[in-house]
Amino acid sequence: MTGGFLRVLAVDDEPPALDELAYHLRADPRVARLHTASDATEALRVLRDDDVDVVFLDIRMPGLDGMELARVLRRFARPPSIVFVTAYDDGAVDAFDLGATDYVRKPVRAERLAESLRRVIGARVVPSHPAALARAEDDPTIPVELAGTTRMLPRSAVRWVEAQGDYARLHTADGSHLVRVSLSTLAERWADAGFVRIHRSYLVQLRLIAELRLVNSGYVVVVDSTELPVSRRHTRELKDRLVRAAKQDWNR
């Protein structure tokens, strides 16, 4: 795909922020048409009259805020991609739940918006096969900060999670990322994906447990050569889950 082809809507209630966002988007050669709106009502009016491929959306707006508008857009027959553009990071987890393509922090930079457009194109063009769409739904992403840039980390990359106050640290094979979400919230949301609570401070991907070992102070599990404690209250449930998982593997 070459030349301008993306139909874009930018929504922000602050005129200077909207002007800056629109300036950068108009300068990108992949953008064929750009609409702007100062609130959710105006955005819905635009969407009633025109189809758009992606909405760049502020979160904190009067009236219907960005998250609420995104939930409305998800119900469209052909929902546009959503890229949140905000000065705050406390909406990252909700953005992840809503299936946002990207989460951009203000002040916006041309190269960062260019990356967002690349992700939009990849999300809308590449996964057109039903199997690809199913994989995308089975492996959602979560926004994480990396060198001052918000990246979308696939859930499948997370090996185990450690509670750190009101935050959670996601451990992957090549590092870790701190996100503003509680361990309890992730335990509830990721239970169907095989993550199990082994301790009040730890959540682990069950299939990655290499060993359950009894030590002097109690049980530990081994994940990527790292020992993680298992609390007494979670030991029985964890053993049962490991046995069930093993039986399923035997019966395959």
Side-chain angles (χ1 to χ4, degrees):
M1 302 178 73
T2 59
F5 54 89
L6 283 175
R7 299 162 296 180
V8 181
L9 170 62
V11 187
D12 199 311
D13 66 304
E14 298 180 355
L18 183 58
D19 289 345
E20 181 182 20
L21 179 59
Y23 172 81
H24 290 306
L25 290 171
R26 286 194 181 98
D28 194 292
R30 293 164 295 187
V31 176
R33 186 165 72 246
L34 176 68
H35 301 277
T36 60
S38 59
D39 57 29
T41 300
E42 188 177 355
L44 290 171
R45 191 176 301 121
V46 170
L47 292 165
R48 179 192 62 196
D49 299 330
D50 292 279
D51 291 330
V52 302
D53 300 303
V54 54
V55 179
F56 284 79
L57 182 58
D58 187 25
I59 292 180
R60 298 192 181 183
M61 299 187 296
L64 201 68
D65 68 21
M67 289 294 177
E68 293 167 330
L69 177 57
R71 292 186 180 95
V72 173
L73 300 183
R74 285 189 68 186
R75 296 198 291 269
F76 280 27
R78 290 186 299 170
S81 298
I82 300 293
V83 174
F84 287 107
V85 183
T86 177
Y88 308 94
D89 62 2
D90 56 0
V93 173
D94 289 333
F96 148 68
D97 282 344
L98 286 169
T101 302
D102 206 352
Y103 191 93
V104 179
R105 291 287 301 279
K106 295 178 180 179
V108 296
R109 295 177 289 111
E111 58 270 25
R112 184 66 182 88
L113 288 179
E115 172 64 21
S116 288
L117 290 171
R118 283 193 292 272
R119 294 181 186 185
V120 168
I121 294 167
R124 297 187 70 82
V125 177
V126 176
S128 56
H129 191 278
L133 288 171
R135 286 196 298 272
E137 292 175 358
D138 290 341
D139 190 18
T141 57
I142 185 167
V144 298
E145 289 292 322
L146 183 63
T149 299
T150 303
R151 302 289 186 185
M152 306 302 281
L153 178 74
R155 182 176 61 190
S156 60
V158 179
R159 320 288 285 181
W160 49 282
V161 186
E162 179 182 6
Q164 294 192 349
D166 294 331
Y167 290 75
R169 182 166 294 280
L170 310 179
H171 292 266
T172 66
D174 54 3
S176 66
H177 307 274
L178 193 65
V179 295
R180 184 176 291 183
V181 59
S182 70
L183 192 71
S184 296
T185 298
L186 287 181
E188 179 180 348
R189 293 176 178 176
W190 290 4
D192 292 342
F195 283 84
V196 295
R197 192 77 172 263
I198 63 169
H199 188 277
R200 62 185 177 86
S201 297
Y202 294 98
L203 182 69
V204 175
Q205 172 54 261
L206 185 71
R207 63 180 174 81
L208 298 178
I209 295 176
E211 189 175 345
L212 175 64
R213 180 191 304 157
L214 180 63
V215 296
N216 293 334
S217 57
Y219 281 94
V220 298
V221 294
V222 179
V223 179
D224 294 340
S225 301
T226 300
E227 291 187 355
L228 303 174
V230 180
S231 66
R232 185 172 301 175
R233 62 176 295 217
H234 290 97
T235 299
R236 176 55 64 86
E237 180 184 359
L238 177 61
K239 287 181 177 179
D240 290 344
R241 291 287 298 270
L242 288 170
V243 169
R244 288 200 300 270
K247 287 181 177 178
Q248 289 175 354
D249 289 339
W250 294 338
N251 293 330
R252 285 176 182 173

